[in-house]
């Protein structure tokens, strides 16, 4: 469908001097879109030209709109010779193509030249007029929204999560075309930038089409990568998760008064019986202490039986109390069947998300990964990218089967990557095998969802609810009910329970009964690629754990090379795994989240770098220590040495436990329950549990069985390994680090953030390198890099480095390049201490502070016509609790009315699928206007608006109010005067700063003030010092957003729009 | 720093293995970093990190190696428990940032508009302020000198005399020159122009105005007998002179730049000579002043004896201002012919103040003297200068 693109060139400033004689410039601008070009007049003799052009109008169809970037070239007019290019600006107009994002792009853009970098700025206004009406427009692929964020974006709710989408396009790399021999480096770079921009657009459009086919409207966790295959071509590929998203009414999303409507909303789908009769028959929902505690187990069990229908699962209710310890075999099977049916239609049941709505993730099996070594050959026909497609399909198939072996039907936290050296390419894919809640996956009609709910409820009510019986924190109970849903698991541990059959385990593992619920089996350690679920119960803090490994490889050609690499891979994987395991134990922790193993291939070596965040999950057993065993027990000095080492290791473990505050409560034998050190809660749990479970004795057997991990030192290599274990230095005091979104154990973030990128290239200069020396060098390189980050950011202490993302490349023989992007976030130390004292509270706080909007959505899922809740007891109660004051009276009133609301809703459900959206306090349009006004930089204003950047999906202390579109930028920078630009460091420093500046400028022009989920996907640096040349390619992406500080929000006038907490049906918003 | 760009220029032609120089991006400035494993090492924050201590060291013109050594002495290692390599890497990052920022610091309003570095406004202000802050000892040396290449070449000596590092000297000299060039042709109050163009805090802008004023009028300040005067003394004098004499002082929209004293005014000053050339007027002036001061100052006798010499000196200083060469001697004359005689007669500053007040006021009562307004405008600045300069 056609549209009209309108562009206006307003002015330029700080242009470079192009005419040496006059020290001035005669600048004009070419505006190009597709094959149409317009020019402005020449603005003579000025470094700050004011073109103030007319509107240049391009009439184009939507395919072009999606694929093509708007290309703006600033030139210096020269009467006698060819005009000189000053630089270019590429603007991706995609954000203008869906109505919810930006409406205009307007602002100062840096004028970029691939040889000279940024040369002045240009003020541009871009608009898109669509000929067809919006509704029709949104049917086209243009309307599909893209998010880099790997969770459900903050101001949306997921109606359905459809699943995996992937696509790749290939082309010849302009850098390797014959024409490159005769054209200038600038022309070549620009051809490459333009091609990649085009390919990205095309890729995005194709993925969009797939999403529309699946009847989705958005892609979340969109990850696009380039494979620079050199001679054989250029591959642009992308993966993502198709979803149907619904925008939350602007209000509930960001008014503090209702910013965490999450908890009780979550509760609704589960606690509330679809059959309102049961409600009336079971008025047992007692209000304790004026809270709205909803799940006293008994009454619910009764309810569920009364709601009993012929639906498949209800018979389970009968076993309510007794079945708990038996791992709910049938449960699982059924669940599996359901999920299976939901997932089977999909070729690949993969999800690129790493954070999920509560209740989505039922069990986690473990990390699954697959690698394959391929030989690249020239892509003969760019229109037939089948070879690459087949390669990936193969790998994905493998991942799928691995997941199946773990008893899982889905893979979450899924990602793909490549490493290329000459003509060898390693394709890698990894993810976390998981069992998902089918409820979120289906195009559920009302009936279907109800059915599911019905069928699952019994199990939940009979088993799961006891746990949540907490008077103080109603929300914990809420979340428990939430989490417990499909599976009879209490919150915070359900996902740890093994999904596979314990009699038929895919790999040897020590299983014990869950230390939290004591009902189901858990493994002794858990590795995952996802973020720590918010509801997980964690003891102490987390920390960044890395395994680093080098392996020498003979230089070889083609197949021989590929073979030797494939032979090495399993050993590397094994060693990386062992290192991770050892380091995890050394820290006294038992689970890894956000695990990312990167294997990089170079000419003569392979490098492995695994990063993850270690935590102590309360549900898993306490890790045993590390025991060293020598092979020659008779040698006295050797013995002594061993015992010395042993002592050192033990000391380190003890120190780490103290450092990360890992002090899981020692459970007295008779008390078997959650290790939550909340005595009141525990005893309560005990009571309810002993009533409902007869597994007590059996549980005792597993308790106390702490098997130590034995490291056998049989040769010097092993000795080295032990040594290297101990070389990891903990971060200096006041610093924590993790590679996940949030640091387990820290929740009181203050708004100060600092995103940074650090790059190091180092020479591993050994005449006769061995694996050991290389390992040591590599290890030192990483450790030093971390040390230097801590030093640089010392002024932010206390702070946490979050989302620490290492990327390793081997650009040349003996050269190792490490790039790190992370964000440092400050936190309030005093509060932290307080929180540590009460871990329960802490975890709840975290749950409530993090992802309110996200948490909020389950209740609004397809199954659930219920709407956003008008108030947020969770937060207020929390506040109340922390300030040791009671719940405000108003709150109590609300609670009461809330119950009314539930009843009302129950009726609504019965009547039909009318979606009701309620917001007690809507943000006034005024507020929205205010925000908008504040964040849109005026063109004439000279002061530059601040744009925050973060690799996280959120900004501490702020609310994201709007997503403006995806930022996906690719830049090349080249120099032929490397030394004059300050050598390699000066060159790259300037380039990275320029990339940041261009990202910020684009975001500001969209009206945004931050980029979230920012990632530097590629940083390829090449140099030729002898020719004084260097070249660098950087690819970054993220989501442009508008955020508002929570403190500012509070100052906004709060206008209750629909005053009564009545379910008002929002305009025609019917979910189906 | 400008010195550095020249240095890099010199190494332009040399080819060689860049790795040898790599840690050392400023040519000779950084000592060869032994055992550095990292060839390329950068850290870039979305918000540009500014370390005030390192900025200070950079401004003082220390090389990376010197800066690292100084930071080590500062005990940062012990405090942060880090390694020398980390300190080196950190220092290099900061130096690179500063070097990239320097181009913008030359035009401070651009620092505010640029998009390359995201720096909070208060940090931007700090950067500019520190960059343009100067050593008074150095400024004192350069006062009244032509801000030319020749002067720049003499900076080695100045550096030796003042103890300010040569790089820092050059940078400060360049600052003076840049400010001078920028406001040379501008109309209106000098200090305000400087404040606007360089975003300096008002006191610093006033000091720069003084430097520009001196450089423009080329007053001699280097003579031995002027050595007792500090930069602050001269700056105060310059401000009084501009304040009272400049066109801007009369009409803000004046046609001529403030740095130049208005020609018409200087021409008019010749008219005042009548006060000392006309015998009658001189005698009457003396008797008026003496009668007013009798019993009020301790050095009455000395005053009576030296009145005519003093008056001649005070009037002639003004009369000579039309000739560029004589302008140079303005301060020398004031010291030689007014301050030194008074000092040898042991006048107290109070005595001088009283004398000057009455000396300025008296001609009002002189019959036939028609230049009272001009006289008072002239004497206002002279009085301020003398009182400021009258110390040991």
């Amino acid at each position: 469908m056609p549209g009209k693109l309108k562009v206006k060139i307003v002015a330029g400033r700080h242009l470079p001097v192009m005419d040496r004689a006059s020290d001035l410039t005669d600048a004009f601008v070419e505006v190009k879109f597709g094959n149409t070009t317009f020019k402005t007049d020449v603005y003579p003799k000025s470094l700050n030209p004011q073109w103030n052009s007319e509107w240049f109008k391009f009439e184009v169809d939507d395919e072009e709109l999606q694929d093509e970037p708007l290309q703006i070239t600033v030139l210096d007019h020269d009467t006698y010779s060819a005009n000189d290019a000053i630089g270019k600006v590429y603007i991706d107009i995609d954000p203008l193509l869906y109505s919810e994002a930006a409406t205009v792009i307007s602002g100062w853009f840096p004028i970029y030249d691939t040889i000279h970098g940024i040369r002045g700025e240009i003020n541009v206004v871009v608009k898109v007029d669509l000929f067809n009406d919006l509704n029709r427009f949104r049917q086209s692929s243009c309307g599909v929204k893209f998010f880099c964020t790997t969770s459900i974006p903050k101001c949306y709710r997921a109606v359905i999560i459809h699943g995996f989408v992937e696509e790749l396009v290939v082309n010849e790399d302009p850098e390797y075309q014959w024409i490159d021999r005769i054209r200038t480096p600038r022309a070549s770079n620009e051809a490459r930038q333009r091609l990649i921009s085009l390919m990205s657009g095309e890729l995005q459009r194709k993925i969009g089409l797939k999403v529309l086919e699946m009847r989705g409207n958005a892609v979340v966790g969109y990850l696009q990568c380039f494979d620079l295959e050199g001679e054989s071509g250029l591959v642009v590929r992308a993966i993502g998760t198709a979803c149907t998203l619904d925008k939350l009414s602007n209000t509930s999303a960001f008014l503090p008064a209702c910013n965490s409507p999450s908890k009780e909303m979550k509760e609704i789908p589960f606690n509330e019986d679809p059959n309102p009769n049961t409600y009336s028959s079971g008025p047992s929902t007692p209000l304790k202490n004026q809270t709205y505690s909803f799940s006293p187990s008994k009454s619910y069990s009764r309810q569920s039986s009364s709601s009993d229908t012929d639906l498949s699962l209800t018979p389970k209710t009968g076993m309510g109390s007794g079945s708990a310890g038996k791992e709910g075999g049938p449960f699982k099977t059924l669940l599996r069947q359901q999920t299976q049916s939901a997932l089977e239609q999909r070729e690949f049941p993969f999800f690129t998300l790493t954070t999920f709505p509560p209740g989505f993730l039922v069990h986690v099996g473990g990390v699954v990964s697959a690698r394959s070594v391929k030989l690249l050959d020239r892509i003969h026909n760019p229109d037939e990218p089948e070879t690459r497609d087949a390669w990936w399909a193969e790998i994905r198939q493998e991942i799928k089967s691995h997941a199946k072996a773990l008893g899982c039907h889905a893979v979450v936290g899924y990602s793909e990557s490549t490493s290329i050296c000459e003509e060898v390419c390693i394709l890698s894919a990894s993810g976390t095998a998981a069992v998902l809640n089918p409820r979120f996956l289906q195009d559920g009609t009302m009936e279907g969802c109800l059915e599911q709910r019905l069928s699952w409820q019994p199990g939940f009510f009979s088993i799961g609810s006891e746990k949540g019986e907490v008077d103080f924190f109603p929300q914990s109970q809420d979340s428990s009910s939430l989490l417990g849903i499909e599976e009879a698991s209490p919150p915070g541990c359900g996902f740890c329970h093994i999904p596979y059959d314990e009699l038929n385990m895919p790999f040897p593992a020590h299983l014990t009964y869950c230390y939290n619920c004591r009902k189901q089996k858990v493994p002794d350690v858990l590795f995952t690629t996802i973020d720590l679920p918010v509801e997980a119960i964690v003891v102490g803090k987390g920390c960044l754990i890395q395994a680093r490994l080098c392996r020498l490889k003979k230089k070889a050609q083609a197949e021989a090379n590929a073979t030797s690499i494939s032979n090495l891979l399993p050993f590397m994987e094994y060693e990386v795994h062992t290192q991770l395991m050892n380091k995890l134990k050394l820290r006294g922790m038992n689970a890894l989240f956000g695990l990312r193993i990167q294997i990089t291939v170079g000419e003569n070596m392979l490098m492995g770098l695994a990063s993850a965040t270690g935590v102590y999950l309360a549900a898993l057993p306490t890790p045993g220590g590390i025991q060293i065993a020598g092979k020659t027990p008779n040698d006295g000095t050797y013995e002594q040495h061993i015992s010395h080492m042993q002592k050192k290791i033990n000391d380190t473990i003890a120190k780490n436990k103290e450092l990360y505050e890992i002090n899981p409560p020692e459970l007295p034998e008779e008390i078997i329950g959650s290790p939550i050190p909340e005595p009141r809660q525990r005893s309560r749990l005990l009571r309810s549990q002993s009533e409902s479970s007869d597994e007590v004795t059996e549980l005792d057997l597993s308790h106390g069985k702490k098997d130590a991990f034995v490291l056998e030192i049989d040769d010097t290599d092993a000795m080295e390994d032990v040594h290297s274990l101990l070389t990891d230095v903990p971060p200096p005091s006041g610093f924590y680090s993790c590679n996940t979104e949030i640091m387990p154990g820290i929740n009181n973030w203050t708004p100060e953030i600092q995103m940074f990128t650090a790059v190091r290239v180092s020479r591993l200069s050994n005449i006769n390198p061995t694996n050991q020396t290389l390992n040591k060098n590599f290890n030192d390189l990483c450790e030093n890099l971390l040390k230097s980050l801590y030093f640089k950011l010392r002024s932010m202490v206390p702070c946490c480095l979050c989302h620490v993302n290492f990327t390793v490349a081997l650009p040349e023989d003996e050269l190792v390049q490490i790039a790190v992007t992370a964000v440092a976030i400050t936190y309030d130390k005093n509060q932290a201490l307080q929180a540590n004292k009460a871990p329960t509270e802490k975890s709840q706080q975290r749950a409530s502070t993090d992802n309110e909007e996200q948490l909020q959505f389950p209740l609004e899922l397809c199954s659930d016509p219920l709407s956003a809740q008008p108030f947020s007891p969770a937060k207020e109660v929390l506040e109340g609790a922390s300030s040791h004051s009671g719940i405000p009276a108003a709150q109590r009133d609300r609670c009461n009315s809330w119950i009314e609301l539930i009843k009302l809703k129950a009726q609504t459900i019965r009547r039909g699928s009318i979606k009701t959206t309620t917001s007690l306090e809507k943000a006034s349009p005024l507020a929205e206007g205010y925000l908008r006004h504040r964040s849109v930089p005026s063109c004439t204003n000279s002061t530059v608006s601040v744009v925050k950047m973060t690799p996280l999906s959120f900004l501490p202390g702020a609310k994201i109010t709007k997503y403006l579109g995806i930022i996906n930028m690719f830049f090349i920078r080249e120099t032929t005067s490397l030394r004059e630009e300050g050598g390699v460091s000066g060159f790259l420093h300037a380039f990275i700063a320029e990339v940041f500046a261009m990202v910020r400028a684009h975001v500001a022009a969209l009206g945004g003030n931050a980029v979230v989920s920012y990632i530097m996907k590629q940083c390829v640096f090449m140099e030729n010092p002898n020719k004084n040349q260097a070249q660098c390619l950087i690819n970054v992406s993220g989501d442009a957003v508008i955020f508002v500080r929570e403190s500012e929000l509070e100052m906004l006038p709060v206008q209750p729009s629909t005053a009564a907490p009545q379910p008002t049906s929002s305009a025609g918003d019917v979910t189906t | 720093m400008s010195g550095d760009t020249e240095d890099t220029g010199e190494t332009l032609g040399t080819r060689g293995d860049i790795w040898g120089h790599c840690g050392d991006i400023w040519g000779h400035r950084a000592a060869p970093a032994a055992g550095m494993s990292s060839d390329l090492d950068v850290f870039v924050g979305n918000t540009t990190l500014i370390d005030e201590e390192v900025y200070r060291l950079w401004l003082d013109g220390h090389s990376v190696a010197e800066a690292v050594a100084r930071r080590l002495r500062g005990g940062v290692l012990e405090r942060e428990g880090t390694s020398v390599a980390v300190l080196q890497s950190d220092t290099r990052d900061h130096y690179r940032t500063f070097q990239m920022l320097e181009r913008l610091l030359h035009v401070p309003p651009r620092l505010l508009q640029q998009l390359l570095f995201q720096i909070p406004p208060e940090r931007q202000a700090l950067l500019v302020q520190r960059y343009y802050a100067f050593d008074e000892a150095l400024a004192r040396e350069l006062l009244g000198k032509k801000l030319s290449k020749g002067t720049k070449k003499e900076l080695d000596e100045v550096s030796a005399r003042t103890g300010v590092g040569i790089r820092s000297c050059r940078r400060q000299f360049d600052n003076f020159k840049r400010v001078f060039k920028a406001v040379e042709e501008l109309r209106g109050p000098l200090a305000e122009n400087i404040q606007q163009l360089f975003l300096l805090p008002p006191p610093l802008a006033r000091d720069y105005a003084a430097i520009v004023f001196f450089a423009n009028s080329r007053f001699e300040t280097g003579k031995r007998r002027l050595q007792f005067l500090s930069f602050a003394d001269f700056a105060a004098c310059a401000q009084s002179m501009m304040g009272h004499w400049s066109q801007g002082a009369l009409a803000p929209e004046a046609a001529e730049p403030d740095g130049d004293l208005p020609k018409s005014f200087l021409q008019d000053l010749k008219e005042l000579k009548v006060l000392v050339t006309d015998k009658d007027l001189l005698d009457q002036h003396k008797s008026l002043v003496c009668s007013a001061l009798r019993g009020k100052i301790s050095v009455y006798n000395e005053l009576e004896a030296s009145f005519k010499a003093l008056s001649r000196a005070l009037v002639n200083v003004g009369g000579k201002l039309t000739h560029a060469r004589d302008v140079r001697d303005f301060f020398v004359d004031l010291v030689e012919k007014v301050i030194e005689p008074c000092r040898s007669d042991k006048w107290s500053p109070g005595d001088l103040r009283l004398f000057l007040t009455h000396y300025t006021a008296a001609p009002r009562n002189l019959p036939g003297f028609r230049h009272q307004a001009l006289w008072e405008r002239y004497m206002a600045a002279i009085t301020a200068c003398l009182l400021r300069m009258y110390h040991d």
Side-chain angles (χ1 to χ4, degrees), chain A residues 497-514:
Chain A
H497 301 162
I498 53 162
Y500 36 85
D501 188 350
E502 73 179 281
L503 298 173
N504 189 15
M505 285 201 300
F507 50 81
H510 302 282
L511 298 182
T512 47
Y513 278 99
C514 174

Side-chain angles (χ1 to χ4, degrees), chain A residues 747-760:
Chain A
N747 47 70
N748 36 16
W749 303 111
T750 46
E752 196 190 339
I753 64 166
Q754 168 70 288
M755 189 283 294
F756 60 85
T757 291
V759 181
R760 271 190 193 188

Side-chain angles (χ1 to χ4, degrees), chain A residues 754-755 792 979 1023 1025, chain B residues 14 18-19 46-47 90 113:
Chain A
Q754 168 70 288
M755 189 283 294
K792 287 223 172 270
R979 234 162 286 139
E1023 48 139 0
Chain B
T14 42
I18 189 129
W19 294 115
N46 182 38
T47 304
D90 180 62
Q113 284 191 334

Side-chain angles (χ1 to χ4, degrees), chain B residues 69-137:
Chain B
R70 279 175 184 255
R71 296 181 79 185
L72 280 174
R73 262 177 270 151
V76 71
L77 226 54
E78 292 73 31
R79 271 202 311 282
E80 305 293 335
T82 192
S83 68
V84 179
V86 166
L87 208 57
Q88 276 172 337
S89 140
D90 180 62
T91 311
R92 277 196 193 97
D93 266 323
H94 285 302
Y95 266 56
R96 260 198 312 273
T97 308
F98 297 143
Q99 209 188 23
M100 284 190 261
L101 277 170
E102 188 164 34
R103 181 172 66 82
L104 297 162
L105 283 166
H106 290 169
V107 197
R110 272 193 68 180
L111 182 69
L112 266 61
Q113 284 191 334
Q114 55 85 29
L115 305 175
L116 191 55
F117 298 99
Q118 185 158 277
I119 305 171
E122 69 279 2
R123 286 263 143 183
Q124 287 180 342
L126 177 124
L127 284 173
V128 173
Q129 206 172 319
R130 293 264 173 95
Y131 190 77
Y132 283 92
F134 55 84
D135 288 294
E136 293 203 347

Side-chain angles (χ1 to χ4, degrees), chain A residues 988-1026:
Chain A
L988 195 62
H989 192 141
F991 185 37
I992 294 175
E994 283 169 345
V995 169
F996 285 1
M998 287 184 277
V999 169
R1000 287 192 303 256
H1002 276 79
V1003 172
L1006 285 168
N1009 55 6
V1011 188
V1012 296
S1013 301
Y1014 170 82
I1015 175 175
M1016 185 168 85
K1017 290 177 293 193
Q1018 223 137 16
C1019 176
V1020 184
F1021 178 77
M1022 287 160 290
E1023 48 139 0
N1024 188 340
N1026 294 328

